Amino acid sequence: MALKTALNLNLATFAEHLGLSPSTVNHWSAPGSSVTPGREAQELLTVALNQATGEAKNRFWATVATGPDDPAGAPERLDLGGQIRDGAKLSMTMADEAAQLASSDEQLSYLRDELCRIAVAYVHTPLSTVVDDLRDAQKTLAAITQTAHRPRSAHEATVLSGVLCLLLAHASQNAGDQKAALQQLRSASTFANVSGSDALRAWTLGSAALMLEWSSRPGEAAARAREGLQYPVSAQSQQRLLAIAARSAARAGDAPAARDALARLGDLDPVPAARDDVVDFGGLLSFPATKLTYYQGGALTLLGDYELAEHHSSAAINGYETGPLEERSYGDEALARLDVTRARLGQGDVTGALAAAEAVLTLDPQLRIRQIDTAVGGLRTDAHALAGRRHGDAAELTDRLTGYLTAARQAPRALPSARA
């Protein structure tokens, strides 16, 4: 049959397409058969033809016009009306796609600005608000990526998709959903490879290292951060990777590797690369000097260099309090205060430790992230040990830390304490 041939279907598939049995359809085309489709079958055939693509319709009318055994001259005998209508339809589709491409460029420009805004707002805005904004941006970007793009637009859409996944990965981790965080990072890695962005590759590896560090796999975290150093990226990205490697190695008990990373941070050329696809967004996706100081303080605390650790962590707190709003991370600031608390505990200053923890223990619940709860859990273990030795104020500190965790409903914790 002409329609079966035009649709490139075999007998069984064509019959299924029509909703008829293969034997019924076979009777229509059997050699010498006088059986023709009945009225209902004719209606089914008409519907199938109307729903066919323009190319399939052209093949059908060419077959009807020339006969199945006489394909010669088919182009001249195509149905003129069908050609005209298909031509008009294709032109409209092409015009729509061109309009979508033009508007996609504008939307991508908007989304870049929006992701920059979210990245900056992330560090000092309640997580629920940030996630709402990220999901809105994700829906817009998903709609854009389902259309065709010019090469430049496709690259931009891919990079933006990777950046969006990084932000969502951090949001997922802060909310305590490790599985979702890892899924976002896997997606970010795919977008990094598709776009060929070294900056996106390096930042994704650094974020993966952070996930591993807070999941009690600090040795793997340090290795993942060092892996990211192979890519030529900006000084900020290199500092981030070295800082993560230093703190993760210290948390894993690998003091030589931690001190090596800290030394490399001191020797790093501060001149940034010409461009970085990630740090250009700023905010959470940047690594300013205050953040670097915070990481150094954390690594030194874990290494037991308590006096120097307190100096760095206190400097980081001051930097967050007095620096520009777009660089103030409420999460890092709280964690820096807990690093000061631990450093003072290490020096036997329990009263000072309690004072350092006060701002965290009274922190607005909307500003709490899961890593803070994890760090508080580790501190409670240290304070409880001192309380058992009847150290002054240790019992009060233990009670306050326990109260924080109870209020935060941290049993069981989604991200286990690195000190547990």
Side-chain angles (χ1 to χ4, degrees), residues 65-343:
T66 63
D69 299 323
D70 181 22
E76 289 78 24
R77 299 188 183 184
L78 293 181
D79 173 69
L80 180 60
Q83 288 280 49
I84 293 296
R85 289 190 294 273
D86 286 347
K89 184 177 180 180
L90 180 57
S91 292
M92 290 181 66
T93 300
M94 293 169 64
D96 288 343
E97 289 178 351
Q100 287 178 347
L101 286 172
S103 62
S104 290
D105 286 343
E106 296 174 2
Q107 287 181 305
L108 289 171
S109 178
Y110 156 76
L111 280 171
R112 172 171 281 275
D113 292 340
E114 178 65 357
L115 290 180
C116 286
R117 182 193 68 78
I118 295 172
V120 171
Y122 191 111
V123 299
H124 57 80
T125 303
L127 185 60
S128 58
T129 300
V130 171
V131 171
D132 285 343
D133 290 344
L134 284 173
R135 290 288 286 126
D136 287 342
Q138 184 183 38
K139 292 171 185 175
T140 301
L141 188 53
I144 293 174
T145 55
Q146 289 172 4
T147 65
H149 296 286
R150 302 184 187 94
R152 184 182 68 80
S153 297
H155 176 78
E156 176 75 353
T158 305
V159 171
L160 289 179
S161 296
V163 169
L164 177 64
C165 288
L166 286 176
L167 291 170
L168 285 168
H170 284 279
S172 300
Q173 185 199 24
N174 292 157
D177 193 329
Q178 183 77 346
K179 180 178 180 180
L182 292 175
Q183 289 173 332
Q184 293 290 355
L185 284 179
R186 185 181 67 179
S187 299
S189 179
T190 297
F191 285 123
N193 291 329
V194 171
S195 65
S197 170
D198 285 339
L200 196 53
R201 289 187 180 109
W203 201 276
T204 300
L205 284 166
S207 296
L210 285 175
M211 306 294 169
L212 290 168
E213 180 188 2
W214 288 104
S215 300
S216 296
R217 296 161 65 186
E220 294 178 53
R224 197 70 62 90
R226 288 191 292 267
E227 183 182 347
L229 291 168
Q230 66 180 296
Y231 297 107
V233 291
S234 68
Q236 280 195 33
S237 288
Q238 290 179 326
Q239 287 175 333
R240 177 177 185 257
L241 289 165
L242 283 170
I244 294 171
R247 193 176 69 178
S248 298
R251 201 181 297 279
D254 189 349
R259 295 190 185 283
D260 176 68
L262 288 172
R264 291 177 64 184
L265 273 170
D267 296 337
L268 190 64
D269 185 355
V271 178
R275 177 175 173 77
D276 190 316
D277 286 338
V278 177
V279 298
D280 287 351
F281 284 86
L284 182 70
L285 301 177
S286 64
F287 203 74
T290 299
K291 198 174 188 73
L292 172 59
T293 304
Y294 151 63
Y295 270 81
Q296 290 171 315
L300 290 166
T301 299
L302 292 165
L303 288 171
D305 294 350
Y306 296 124
E307 185 175 351
L308 188 57
E310 182 178 352
H311 171 76
H312 277 79
S313 297
S314 297
I317 294 169
N318 180 67
Y320 282 129
E321 289 180 331
T322 62
L325 179 63
E326 62 269 19
E327 293 184 4
R328 185 170 188 177
S329 168
Y330 64 83
D332 288 351
E333 182 180 335
L335 288 168
R337 293 184 186 280
L338 294 178
D339 284 334
V340 171
T341 302
R342 175 170 281 122

Side-chain angles (χ1 to χ4, degrees), residues 27-81:
H27 287 159
W28 302 340
S29 56
S33 174
S34 59
V35 178
T36 58
R39 182 176 61 81
E40 292 183 0
Q42 288 284 2
E43 292 177 355
L44 292 173
L45 289 166
T46 300
V47 171
L49 177 60
N50 290 336
Q51 292 178 344
T53 64
E55 184 179 2
K57 290 177 182 177
N58 287 339
R59 288 196 296 267
F60 170 79
W61 290 115
T63 302
V64 170
T66 63
D69 299 323
D70 181 22
E76 289 78 24
R77 299 188 183 184
L78 293 181
D79 173 69
L80 180 60

